[in-house]
Amino acid sequence: MEITDLRWFALKVFYNKVFDIEDTLKGDGIESYIPMTSVMIERNGVKKLTERPLISSLMFMHTTQKSAIAIREKLEGRAMIYSRRIDSRFEPVAIPEKEMNIFMLVTSKGENGVEYIGEDNPRYHKGDLVKVIDGPFKGSEGHIVRIKNDHRLVVTVKGICAVATSYIPRCFLQKVEETD
């Protein structure tokens, strides 16, 4: 990976201030993505559908490795970029484009029933890898698991998070051979 190639990076945002960080990134010309969900809230007997972050402390930015390193200092104390140790320094971890595209496909449809199920955890990877061939999640890939007595598609951004879709009919699924 070239240091000037655009890549996706995950940010852990402190105090659930994802929209403040989004504004900061916009000011620097950096594209961001916040997975959102629709929720019904009731205030004073009035029900209203509203959008809120699916994962309150998580967002993503699309930038270069060099820019990610520079922005890390600007966000210090407000957010951290998921990083790994390389030699004696910490480098931001780039998310593979295909993985991020599938994650955004599943979390941007506005479908009811998409549920955050926690950080990447091997117990969610049992079962077959499948591709959705029809319906609102068409084109996404993930593992089928049983959650709350329902078969659901789990899409993972490795080491960052996993989300589960609502029920997907079996006829909309096609088994995919796993490759490493």
Side-chain angles (χ1 to χ4, degrees), residues 19-157:
F19 299 115
D20 291 345
I21 300 299
E22 180 183 42
D23 290 341
T24 298
L25 295 175
K26 252 186 218 169
D28 289 340
I30 298 173
E31 177 188 0
S32 62
Y33 176 72
I34 301 169
M36 301 292 285
T37 188
S38 297
V39 292
M40 186 66 70
I41 58 169
E42 186 175 341
R43 287 198 182 131
N44 301 326
V46 178
K47 290 183 181 181
K48 180 181 172 186
L49 192 62
T50 187
E51 293 240 318
R52 69 169 192 205
L54 177 65
I55 309 163
S56 61
S57 60
L58 180 69
M59 69 180 296
F60 301 87
M61 66 179 177
H62 197 223
T63 191
T64 64
Q65 182 87 10
K66 187 176 183 178
S67 176
I69 292 167
I71 201 81
R72 178 172 48 198
E73 290 178 26
K74 188 172 191 172
L75 298 178
E76 190 170 339
R78 299 188 301 148
M80 64 164 237
I81 300 172
Y82 284 84
S83 303
R84 71 170 170 255
R85 187 180 200 94
I86 298 176
D87 297 324
S88 62
R89 62 190 192 287
F90 285 92
E91 295 288 331
V93 177
I95 299 166
E97 196 74 23
K98 180 180 178 185
E99 202 171 289
M100 192 64 197
N101 287 340
I102 291 170
F103 179 79
M104 289 190 299
L105 174 71
V106 168
T107 59
S108 68
K109 291 290 186 186
E111 290 293 314
N112 289 335
V114 174
E115 180 180 341
Y116 173 56
I117 55 174
E119 290 186 2
D120 184 19
N121 189 320
R123 74 172 182 231
Y124 298 119
H125 296 284
K126 295 177 184 169
D128 293 334
L129 177 65
V130 296
K131 181 175 185 172
V132 181
I133 57 172
D134 203 354
F137 299 117
K138 182 178 180 177
S140 58
E141 291 181 11
H143 290 84
I144 292 297
V145 297
R146 193 170 188 89
I147 299 174
K148 298 180 183 172
N149 294 321
D150 223 351
H151 284 94
R152 304 196 95 202
L153 179 74
V154 173
V155 175
T156 302
V157 176

